[in-house]
């Protein structure tokens, strides 16, 4: 009998699987049907539908039921559970082929609130730029680009990594561009020398590479290195500022006027951060003498930020204004001053790591190139292949982690104070065991 069963299962395998699928889906339909509000002839179905699919879903339902369905569309602001705050409106973002590759980076951190700015395009841009700066090598960048193209064409299928093909293409292009500037091609600094001489010759005296990264005893080299660190800090300033602007717009959109005006990530905190940076640049580069109005602007903006809870309750009409008393408010303001200064300082200085990793990448390339020159013939080729492979895999992973860290802690922290709910469409799933 066991032999007969095995033979029957083998010869009728496709039909048995088809029947099992029918039973699995049928049982799920039956379960859902029994959970719906209904009369003898009418069922009531409610749910969330992406705005851009509403007309199509209505048309499909009308055709499916032969015009026997009554459909009522509600805006999120008309749903009682949303109005009362018991339910969050699910969010689904929609992007083009390139930006959509970065969506999971957003939802792995948390879903944006409905009605707020979608940060995905910013993440796509910042991730690509930061990775390229820290991993500047034209040859190694082309490796990422080729991997990305093969993933997009479904030629590479390794544990789901093919879904990141678009990201590989983006970082491959940015790394290649940075490599052309620093003159590195698989850690070799001579292959791109003619290109650098040609490009720089168009704008003045030819020199190679276009952008010097390797430090030396030359005072000019030290100056260039610090200038590059200043450049990476300025990128951090832009990213932090974008996060602040997004938060301010979001809070106004959500009608949280108090939070939009006051607080570390509100207008008062943004003014403090921006003015301190501008003030420091004026003093350092333009020999500006601090004036009384400088200290007034810094002090007032810091005071409004430190006492944000009081001013938020005042603007939003919440009473009492001093919820826990005057002494508690003073202690909270002192702690907030320390928090604001330390967080903004760390958020800004943290981007020095971008320049440090770019410098470290150049040093690794120099070491690999030195070993290649010392090794004879085939040995040099083997060292070049092995060294570049290690850099692409290990340093590529480290740089990616650092970029994600900068996005999460420096950028997202400005506006992701509250997460929403990701839209997950309902579907029937075939289950082999029921």
């Amino acid at each position: 009998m066991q032999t007969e069963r095995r033979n029957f299962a083998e010869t009728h395998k496709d039909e048995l699987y088809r029947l099992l699928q029918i039973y699995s889906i049928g049982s799920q339909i039956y379960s859902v049907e029994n959970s719906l509000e209904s009369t003898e002839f009418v069922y009531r179905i409610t749910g969330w539908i992406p705005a851009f699919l509403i007309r199509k879903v209505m048309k499909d339902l009308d055709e499916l039921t032969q015009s026997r369905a009554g459909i009522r569309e509600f805006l999120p602001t008309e749903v009682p559970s949303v109005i009362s705050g018991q339910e969050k409106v699910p969010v689904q973002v929609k992007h083009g082929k390139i930006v959509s590759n970065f969506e999971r980076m957003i939802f792995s951190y948390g879903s944006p609130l409905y009605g707020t700015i979608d940060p995905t395009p910013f993440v796509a841009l910042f991730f690509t730029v930061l990775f390229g700066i820290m991993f500047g090598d034209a040859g190694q960048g082309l490796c990422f680009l080729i991997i990305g193209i093969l993933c997009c064409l479904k030629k590479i299928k390794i544990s789901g990594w093919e879904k990141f093909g678009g990201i590989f293409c983006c970082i491959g292009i940015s790394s290649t561009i940075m490599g052309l500037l620093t003159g590195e091609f698989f850690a070799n600094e001579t292959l791109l020398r003619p290109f650098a001489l040609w490009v720089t010759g168009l704008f003045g005296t030819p020199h190679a590479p276009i952008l010097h990264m390797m430090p030396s005893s030359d005072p000019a080299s030290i100056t260039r290195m610090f200038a590059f660190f200043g450049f990476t800090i300025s990128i951090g300033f832009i990213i932090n500022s974008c996060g602040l602007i997004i938060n301010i717009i979001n809070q106004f959109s959500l009608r949280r006027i108090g939070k939009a005006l006051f607080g570390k990530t509100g207008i008062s905190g943004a003014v403090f951060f921006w003015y301190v940076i501008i003030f420091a640049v004026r003093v350092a580069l333009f020999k500006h003498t601090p004036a009384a109005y400088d200290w007034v602007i810094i002090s007032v903006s810091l005071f409004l930020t430190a006492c944000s809870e009081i001013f938020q309750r005042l603007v939003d009409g919440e009473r009492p204004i001093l919820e826990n008393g005057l002494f508690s408010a003073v202690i909270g303001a002192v702690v907030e001053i320390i928090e604001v200064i330390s967080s903004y300082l760390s958020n800004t200085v943290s981007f020095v790591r971008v320049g440090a990793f770019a410098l470290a990448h150049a040093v690794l390339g120099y070491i690999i190139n030195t070993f290649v020159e010392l090794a004879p013939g085939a040995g040099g080729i083997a060292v070049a292949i092995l060294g570049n492979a290690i850099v692409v895999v290990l340093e590529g992973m480290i740089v990616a982690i650092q970029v994600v860290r900068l996005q999460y802690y420096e950028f997202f922290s400005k506006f992701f104070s509250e997460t929403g709910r990701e839209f997950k469409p309902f579907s029937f799933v075939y289950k082999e065991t029921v």
Side-chain angles (χ1 to χ4, degrees), residues 41-246:
F41 300 106
V42 179
Y43 288 90
R44 182 187 180 195
I45 302 175
T46 61
W48 294 100
I49 300 173
F52 64 91
L53 288 178
I54 288 177
R55 300 305 168 198
K56 181 179 185 303
V57 171
M58 286 184 173
K59 180 182 177 182
D60 292 345
L61 283 174
D62 191 60
E63 293 177 354
L64 182 67
T65 60
Q66 298 178 351
S67 301
R68 291 180 296 173
I71 304 172
R72 171 71 165 88
E73 175 190 351
F74 292 89
L75 296 175
T77 52
E78 298 176 303
V79 180
S81 60
V82 173
I83 297 173
S84 64
Q86 296 177 344
E87 183 180 13
K88 292 183 178 180
V89 181
V91 173
Q92 182 183 51
V93 294
K94 186 179 181 182
H95 304 104
K97 290 184 178 180
I98 296 178
V99 177
S100 61
N101 291 278
F102 296 86
E103 290 176 2
R104 293 320 311 169
M105 196 176 298
I106 301 294
F107 287 103
S108 64
Y109 187 89
S111 172
L113 286 174
Y114 181 80
T116 60
I117 295 176
D118 174 19
T120 312
F122 296 92
V123 170
L125 175 62
F126 296 152
F127 188 96
T128 303
V129 171
L130 291 175
F131 191 98
I133 293 174
M134 289 193 274
F135 200 89
D137 186 292
Q140 295 165 4
L142 287 175
C143 290
F144 283 126
L145 179 59
I146 293 171
I147 292 173
I149 293 173
L150 293 177
C151 287
C152 292
L153 296 175
K154 307 298 182 184
K155 300 297 183 181
I156 296 180
K157 295 181 180 180
I158 305 175
S159 302
W161 280 86
E162 63 275 5
K163 62 185 177 183
F164 299 113
I167 296 179
F168 279 114
C169 288
C170 290
I171 63 176
I173 293 173
S174 64
S175 298
T176 301
I177 293 174
M178 186 63 180
L180 291 174
L181 294 176
T182 59
E184 292 189 46
F185 187 86
F186 287 119
N188 188 293
E189 298 181 349
T190 58
L191 294 176
L192 295 177
R193 185 176 177 82
F195 171 80
L197 293 174
W198 174 73
V199 171
T200 53
L202 297 176
F203 303 95
T205 304
H207 64 271
I210 301 173
L211 178 63
H212 293 270
M213 290 298 300
M214 279 298 298
S216 65
S217 58
D218 183 9
S221 175
I222 304 299
T223 303
R224 285 194 299 265
M225 183 179 67
F226 280 104
F228 186 72
F229 284 141
F231 168 71
T232 59
I233 290 177
S234 66
I235 291 178
F237 173 76
I238 293 172
I239 293 176
N240 283 319
S241 298
C242 287
L244 290 171
I245 294 171
I246 289 173

Side-chain angles (χ1 to χ4, degrees), residues 155-394:
K155 300 297 183 181
I156 296 180
K157 295 181 180 180
I158 305 175
S159 302
W161 280 86
E162 63 275 5
K163 62 185 177 183
F164 299 113
I167 296 179
F168 279 114
C169 288
C170 290
I171 63 176
I173 293 173
S174 64
S175 298
T176 301
I177 293 174
M178 186 63 180
L180 291 174
L181 294 176
T182 59
E184 292 189 46
F185 187 86
F186 287 119
N188 188 293
E189 298 181 349
T190 58
L191 294 176
L192 295 177
R193 185 176 177 82
F195 171 80
L197 293 174
W198 174 73
V199 171
T200 53
L202 297 176
F203 303 95
T205 304
H207 64 271
I210 301 173
L211 178 63
H212 293 270
M213 290 298 300
M214 279 298 298
S216 65
S217 58
D218 183 9
S221 175
I222 304 299
T223 303
R224 285 194 299 265
M225 183 179 67
F226 280 104
F228 186 72
F229 284 141
F231 168 71
T232 59
I233 290 177
S234 66
I235 291 178
F237 173 76
I238 293 172
I239 293 176
N240 283 319
S241 298
C242 287
L244 290 171
I245 294 171
I246 289 173
N247 180 69
I248 293 169
I249 295 174
N250 286 347
Q251 298 304 327
F252 276 120
S253 300
L254 297 171
R255 299 182 180 179
R256 300 172 180 175
I257 308 302
K259 288 186 176 182
L261 295 175
F262 307 104
K264 185 176 68 175
T265 55
I267 291 179
S268 63
V271 170
F272 171 76
F273 172 63
W274 293 332
Y275 198 85
V276 167
I277 295 295
I278 294 172
F279 175 72
V281 171
R282 289 165 63 196
V283 170
L285 300 182
F286 301 100
K287 309 302 179 183
H288 169 72
T289 302
Y293 68 86
D294 292 319
W295 303 118
V296 169
I297 294 175
I298 293 174
S299 300
V300 171
S301 59
L302 182 59
F303 172 75
L304 294 175
T305 303
C307 301
S308 59
E309 185 177 353
I310 298 174
F311 290 107
Q312 286 175 17
R313 295 180 68 84
L314 181 63
V315 171
D316 296 335
E318 299 180 15
R319 298 295 183 273
I321 296 176
L322 298 176
E323 186 177 15
N324 298 312
L326 179 60
F327 180 75
S328 177
V330 172
I331 296 299
V334 172
V335 173
E336 189 66 18
I337 289 175
I338 299 173
E339 164 67 16
V340 169
I341 295 175
S342 61
S343 63
Y344 274 130
L345 181 62
S346 64
N347 289 162
T348 303
V349 176
S350 183
F351 282 88
V352 172
R353 76 183 65 209
V354 178
F357 271 94
L359 183 62
H361 186 81
V363 172
L364 283 175
Y366 175 78
I367 293 172
I368 293 173
N369 193 41
T370 301
F371 280 124
V372 169
E373 292 176 353
L374 292 175
I381 297 175
V383 169
I385 294 174
L386 180 61
N388 280 279
I390 292 174
V391 169
V392 168
V393 176
L394 294 183

